[in-house]
């Protein structure tokens, strides 16, 4: 008898279980760190509390993020193992739709082998240029002690806007001290990254990233600089965080 696990699309946790499968496959392929599995679990818990759906506060943040990425002089997408495993294909599309952007690999739990596995995976998704992997181009971010104190002198170091989904708080704070505009995707509105970023998309990256790509394409065709500025200036990150927390409180009680 074939006892292989098959998850039927009708399963109420189908999307969540498929995301879990992607992370586990990424772990087996040497793309995701063991610690990345735990970080994913923390995300799942918060996703449950927002009903595993993209909420209005996330949609507004996505519009502001799309606008910021379009008006930035040099936006850089920072990628770790979880991001590569969950949505490496969309990162590649974001990089091609924003022609003046770059992609940089940045690992908290660094090994040369994992960096190479991520590079190979992103190449399969069509990315030809990735920063952060050539040691001769790495420079230190002040005030950071972890492996991720290093950034590429041609990438994040020069960027005016940095997109850092699923990011560690120390690093986000260091990027803010370097006067970067920081955009993140993070399901936990209480994380330091969520709290200090300029634009926090409180949603599962698996749902948010395709929407971000869609909004970038839309605004590229339809919106001028003033309209994009208005979406950025009209977005209130503190408000989005408190709306997410309010929903989590109500959601947690009513389930
Ligand atoms: P911080 O250092 O910012 O205070 P942390 O220590 O929880 O927070 P990490 O574990 O380094 O941060 O980062 C992982 C973050 O990403 C967590 O806040 C987690 O909730 C969130 N996360 C995990 N998986 C997803 C996902 N699929 N989509 C969106 N967010 C996620």
């Amino acid at each position: 008898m074939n006892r292989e696990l098959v998850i039927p699309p009708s399963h109420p946790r189908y999307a969540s279980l498929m995301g879990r499968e992607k992370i586990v496959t990424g772990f087996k392929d040497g793309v995701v760190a063991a610690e990345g599995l735990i970080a994913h679990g923390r995300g799942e818990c918060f996703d449950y509390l927002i009903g595993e759906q993209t909420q209005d506060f996330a949609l507004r943040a996505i519009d502001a993020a799309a606008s910021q990425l379009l008006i930035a002089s040099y936006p850089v997408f920072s990628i770790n193992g979880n991001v590569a495993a969950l949505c490496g294909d969309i990162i590649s599309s974001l990089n091609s739709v924003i022609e003046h952007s770059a992609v940089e690999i940045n690992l908290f739990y660094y090994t040369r082998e994992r960096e190479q596995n991520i590079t190979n995976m992103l190449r399969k998704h069509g990315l030809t240029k990735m920063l952060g992997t050539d040691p001769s181009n790495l420079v230190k971010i002040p005030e950071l002690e972890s492996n991720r104190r290093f950034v590429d002198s041609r990438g994040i170091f020069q960027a005016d806007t940095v997109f850092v989904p699923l990011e560690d708080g120390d690093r986000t704070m260091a990027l803010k001290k370097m006067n970067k505009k920081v955009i993140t995707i993070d399901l936990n509105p209480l994380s330091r990254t969520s709290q200090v970023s300029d634009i926090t998309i409180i949603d599962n990256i698996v749902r948010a990233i395709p929407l971000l790509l869609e909004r970038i394409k839309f605004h590229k065709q339809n919106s001028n600089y003033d309209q994009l500025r208005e979406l950025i200036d009209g977005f209130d990150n503190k408000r989005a965080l408190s709306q997410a927390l309010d929903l989590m409180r109500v959601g947690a009680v009513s389930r």
Side-chain angles (χ1 to χ4, degrees):
M1 197 197 337
N2 181 7
R3 303 188 66 174
E4 204 179 304
L5 175 68
V6 178
I7 304 163
S10 58
H11 191 290
R13 300 253 95 70
Y14 179 75
S16 174
L17 292 173
M18 293 312 283
R20 199 179 274 185
E21 283 307 299
K22 275 191 181 179
I23 282 286
V24 170
T25 304
F27 175 68
K28 288 178 183 161
D29 292 344
V31 166
V32 171
E35 294 81 356
L37 299 174
I38 297 167
H40 186 79
R42 172 136 66 195
E44 278 187 353
C45 173
F46 286 101
D47 204 12
Y48 202 93
L49 291 172
I50 61 164
E52 293 175 338
Q53 279 172 15
T54 304
Q55 301 290 338
D56 283 351
F57 48 77
L59 290 173
R60 284 190 286 274
I62 287 169
D63 248 341
S67 307
Q68 179 60 41
L69 289 165
L70 282 168
I71 68 160
S73 310
Y74 183 35
V76 172
F77 298 99
S78 174
I79 306 304
N80 62 25
N82 284 36
V83 175
L86 289 172
C87 50
D89 52 342
I90 311 266
I91 296 295
S92 172
S93 304
L94 285 170
N95 182 223
S96 27
V97 85
I98 302 188
E99 295 92 355
H100 57 293
S101 70
V103 172
E104 180 165 335
I105 299 176
N106 256 292
L107 307 181
F108 193 90
Y109 301 101
Y110 178 85
T111 64
R112 179 83 193 134
E113 193 189 350
R114 204 155 73 81
E115 183 182 78
Q116 195 55 53
N117 292 337
I118 293 172
T119 305
N120 293 341
M121 170 180 248
L122 293 175
R123 278 216 183 98
K124 280 189 199 142
H125 291 308
L127 267 170
T128 48
K129 191 175 171 198
M130 280 150 276
L131 303 174
T133 57
D134 180 349
S136 64
N137 286 318
L138 298 183
V139 288
K140 278 184 189 171
I141 313 183
E143 296 174 63
L144 257 194
E145 283 168 19
S146 71
N147 270 337
R148 290 203 288 184
R149 72 179 181 274
F150 293 107
V151 289
D152 198 305
S153 58
R154 302 159 305 164
I156 289 176
F157 190 73
Q158 285 181 28
D160 59 336
T161 297
V162 191
F163 181 74
V164 281
L166 283 51
E167 181 60 278
D168 154 74
D170 286 346
R171 206 172 112 93
T172 311
M173 291 195 278
L175 293 173
K176 278 311 301 168
K177 282 193 185 148
M178 292 168 77
N179 287 323
K180 313 286 181 194
K181 280 266 176 212
V182 176
I183 302 170
T184 192
I185 301 179
D186 192 327
L187 276 159
N188 178 5
L190 296 168
S191 77
R192 290 168 307 157
T193 295
S194 288
Q195 300 274 333
V196 303
S197 293
D198 296 284
I199 301 172
T200 304
I201 302 167
I202 306 156
D203 196 18
N204 196 318
I205 193 167
V206 172
R207 292 190 300 271
I209 275 253
L211 293 173
L212 179 63
L213 178 62
E214 207 176 274
R215 293 312 285 165
I216 288 171
K217 286 181 180 165
F218 172 84
H219 286 303
K220 212 174 156 183
Q221 290 299 318
N222 299 293
S223 307
N224 62 29
Y225 180 87
D226 290 343
Q227 290 165 322
L228 297 176
R229 234 342 343 138
E230 214 174 298
L231 282 167
I232 298 164
D233 295 342
F235 177 73
D236 180 345
N237 208 47
K238 291 275 169 276
R239 185 152 181 260
L241 295 172
S242 74
Q243 286 172 329
L245 280 171
D246 285 348
L247 175 69
M248 287 175 183
R249 270 188 216 107
V250 176
V253 171
S254 65
R255 268 163 220 265

